[in-house]
């Protein structure tokens, strides 16, 4: 096991800054995810760790070993690509054995290692087949076996599930997580799928425009987003966002769509001490409900039903607050008609407020907080 660290790492391609002054620490023996939209720089970070790219600035360390200038073959990493990159003219056995033969390992030792890893991934019956004779899930297992047969210190996964259908993705991601836990290997997984990152990773680094937005456990990045990007990127449907205006008359109030909302007690002092005139109000669809009459103990905002989308186990109800749309998860039996006047009822402890200029969460990123 080995800890991977990036210290003030930047990568430029001409005038394009793909990675900007990134500091990251991937704990040894844990499963970490680099999560972000397309073009955010997450794959570039992975290739920097692999040694395929060299950083323009900064250092990359495996434990206490500086690997910044080392080529990929000297880093002892296993890399699984998005398209699997299997050699079509080689059998499954030869594909898995290929990195060992490059090291000129004895054929008997190669045979033992290939058989062991193929049993671990339950592909021992496929060793004589060629890649074109395999399903997508089988090819994915072969690519994983080829990465693991070298017994790498670090396993790097570049969106290896994106080419699989939805049901197979669920199966394979559970298998990869089980395998990582069994081998206790340091794994770093690149994905744009936040559900994938949440379900597989011990730690998540959210990346956008080449910069780290937040690092933490799945629970932290979901429930305590540091900024508006993280709040709206995590979750499906994403967090609802409404513009608000702070009113300092007879206490602290927030004007949301023309309705005066009393902020939760924990936020009152923060707002009183701040110099904010406006604020962004955010909450997740599962932390609210739609009711016909407001109830005590909740934050209630008048709204108008726009559309209901039944999804079987739940329904997504979209309502309008002023000119902004809000999505709320409701039980499947909930019935609302378009144009109906209702209230969006928000759990006070789940409400989030963001600075409209910096887009920082006023609680999580306030002075004194990291």
């Amino acid at each position: 096991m080995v800890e991977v660290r990036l210290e003030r790492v930047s990568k430029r391609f001409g005038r394009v800054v793909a990675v900007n002054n990134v500091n990251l620490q991937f704990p040894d023996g844990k499963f970490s995810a680099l999560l972000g939209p397309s073009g955010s720089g997450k794959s570039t970070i992975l290739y920097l760790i692999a040694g395929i790219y060299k950083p323009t600035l900064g250092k990359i360390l495996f434990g206490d070993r500086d690997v910044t200038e080392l080529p990929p073959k000297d880093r002892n990493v296993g890399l699984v690509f998005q398209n699997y990159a299997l050699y079509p003219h080689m059998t499954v056995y030869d594909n898995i054995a290929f990195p060992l033969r490059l090291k000129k390992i004895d054929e008997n030792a190669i045979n033992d290692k290939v058989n062991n890893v193929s049993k671990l991934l339950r592909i021992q019956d496929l060793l004589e087949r060629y890649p074109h004779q395999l399903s997508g899930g089988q090819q994915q297992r072969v690519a994983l076996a080829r990465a693991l047969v070298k017994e790498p210190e670090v396993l790097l996964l570049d969106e290896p599930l994106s080419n699989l259908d939805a049901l197979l993705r669920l199966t394979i991601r559970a298998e990869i997580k089980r395998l990582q836990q069994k081998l206790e290997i340091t794994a770093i997984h690149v994905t744009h799928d936040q559900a994938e990152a949440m379900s597989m990773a011990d730690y998540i680094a959210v990346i956008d425009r080449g910069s780290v937005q937040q690092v933490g456990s799945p629970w932290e990045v979901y429930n305590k987003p540091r900024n508006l990007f993280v709040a709206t990127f995590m979750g499906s449907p994403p967090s609802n966002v409404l513009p608000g205006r702070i009113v300092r008359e007879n206490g602290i109030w927030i004007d949301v769509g023309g309705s005066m909302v009393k902020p939760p007690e924990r936020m009152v002092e923060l707002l009183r001490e701040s110099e904010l005139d406006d604020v962004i109000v955010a909450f997740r669809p599962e932390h609210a409900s739609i009711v016909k009459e407001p109830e005590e103990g909740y934050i209630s905002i008048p709204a108008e039903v726009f559309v209901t989308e039944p999804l079987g186990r739940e329904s997504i109800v979209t309502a309008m607050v002023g000119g902004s749309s809000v999505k709320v998860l409701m039980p499947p039996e909930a019935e609302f008609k378009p144009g109906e006047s209702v209230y969006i009822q928000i759990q006070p402890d789940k409400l989030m407020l963001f600075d409209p200029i910096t887009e920082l969460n006023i609680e999580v990123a306030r002075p004194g907080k990291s």
Side-chain angles (χ1 to χ4, degrees):
M1 295 191 296
V2 63
E3 176 190 79
V4 176
R5 294 199 315 279
L6 278 68
E7 296 182 354
R8 302 182 66 82
V9 169
S10 295
K11 178 62 179 176
R12 292 176 178 270
F13 296 99
R15 294 183 179 181
V16 177
V17 181
V19 176
N20 185 24
N21 196 32
V22 163
N23 292 286
L24 279 174
Q25 182 174 318
F26 301 100
D28 60 336
K30 298 295 183 181
F31 198 113
S32 300
L34 286 166
L35 175 66
S38 297
S40 60
K42 57 190 185 298
S43 289
T44 302
I45 292 173
L46 195 79
Y47 294 156
L48 286 165
I49 295 169
I52 295 172
Y53 297 152
K54 284 188 178 181
T56 307
L57 295 169
K59 292 197 303 183
I60 300 171
L61 298 101
F62 287 7
D64 295 327
R65 185 165 63 116
D66 188 339
V67 300
T68 309
E69 299 298 325
L70 289 182
K73 67 183 181 66
D74 295 330
R75 296 196 184 196
N76 194 19
V77 299
L79 178 57
V80 181
F81 293 95
Q82 181 176 345
N83 63 359
Y84 314 137
L86 300 177
Y87 297 108
H89 63 287
M90 292 184 183
T91 64
V92 167
Y93 182 98
D94 291 332
N95 264 284
I96 298 172
F98 184 76
L100 300 179
R101 286 176 175 152
L102 283 180
K103 294 183 176 181
K104 297 182 169 44
I105 293 175
D106 177 75
E107 280 294 326
N108 288 329
I110 289 175
N111 189 60
D112 289 341
K113 289 177 181 292
V114 171
N115 283 319
N116 288 338
V117 77
S118 63
K119 287 176 184 175
L120 189 66
L121 286 155
R122 298 194 286 273
I123 55 172
Q124 63 267 36
D125 297 332
L126 307 177
L127 294 178
E128 300 307 312
R129 294 192 192 180
Y130 288 87
H132 72 272
Q133 298 172 315
L134 305 178
S135 68
Q138 290 169 336
Q139 290 186 53
Q140 196 271 345
R141 288 186 179 94
V142 174
L144 194 55
R146 185 178 59 187
L148 290 173
V149 77
K150 300 187 297 180
E151 299 176 358
E153 291 182 308
V154 182
L155 177 64
L156 304 174
L157 305 162
D158 186 17
E159 303 206 49
L161 309 184
S162 60
N163 293 332
L164 305 179
D165 63 67
L167 186 59
L168 189 54
R169 276 203 303 271
L170 292 175
T171 302
I172 297 293
R173 77 188 191 194
E175 289 188 4
I176 291 176
K177 179 65 176 176
R178 175 193 62 82
L179 196 63
Q180 183 272 331
Q181 290 176 331
K182 179 173 180 159
L183 298 175
E184 296 184 328
I185 193 170
T186 302
I188 304 171
H189 176 57
V190 160
T191 181
H192 63 271
D193 186 332
Q194 46 87 19
E196 199 172 281
M198 292 281 293
S199 64
M200 297 176 73
D202 300 303
Y203 297 93
I204 297 175
V206 184
I207 311 294
D208 185 44
R209 291 171 291 183
S211 298
V212 178
Q213 302 299 311
Q214 186 170 356
V215 179
S217 69
W219 187 92
E220 287 171 331
V221 296
Y222 189 81
N223 291 288
K224 299 291 183 183
R226 187 175 183 275
N227 58 34
L228 193 60
F229 173 81
V230 177
T232 53
F233 187 74
M234 302 294 294
S236 181
S239 292
N240 295 298
V241 174
L242 294 170
R245 183 173 59 86
I246 298 174
V247 178
R248 295 177 170 86
E249 294 177 8
N250 300 319
I252 299 291
W253 300 83
I254 304 175
D255 182 344
V256 182
S259 298
M260 290 299 180
V261 171
K262 187 70 175 173
E265 193 60 38
R266 72 182 195 279
M267 293 180 174
V268 170
E269 194 60 32
L270 282 174
L271 293 174
R272 182 179 287 118
E273 293 176 353
S274 78
E275 297 179 356
L276 295 174
D277 294 319
D278 298 292
V279 72
I280 296 173
V281 177
F283 58 94
R284 297 199 176 279
E286 66 271 27
H287 295 155
S289 59
I290 291 183
V291 296
K292 296 183 180 180
E293 293 295 335
E295 301 173 16
E296 288 289 330
Y298 293 92
I299 295 170
S300 298
I301 303 173
E304 182 179 292
V305 175
F306 181 71
V307 69
T308 299
E309 303 168 73
L311 299 177
R313 66 177 181 179
E314 61 197 7
S315 292
I316 299 176
V317 181
T318 302
M320 301 302 295
V321 177
S324 302
S325 66
V326 168
K327 293 185 181 295
V328 177
L329 293 181
M330 293 292 288
E333 64 272 11
E335 292 185 10
F336 294 98
K337 297 177 182 178
E340 186 175 357
S341 294
V342 293
Y343 289 88
I344 294 171
Q345 200 161 257
I346 308 163
Q347 300 173 31
D349 61 324
K350 301 297 185 181
L351 189 75
M352 299 177 286
L353 297 180
F354 296 86
D355 184 319
I357 305 299
T358 65
E359 296 192 346
L360 293 175
N361 187 324
I362 69 166
E363 289 186 285
V364 176
R366 68 182 186 266
K369 298 280 284 188
S370 59

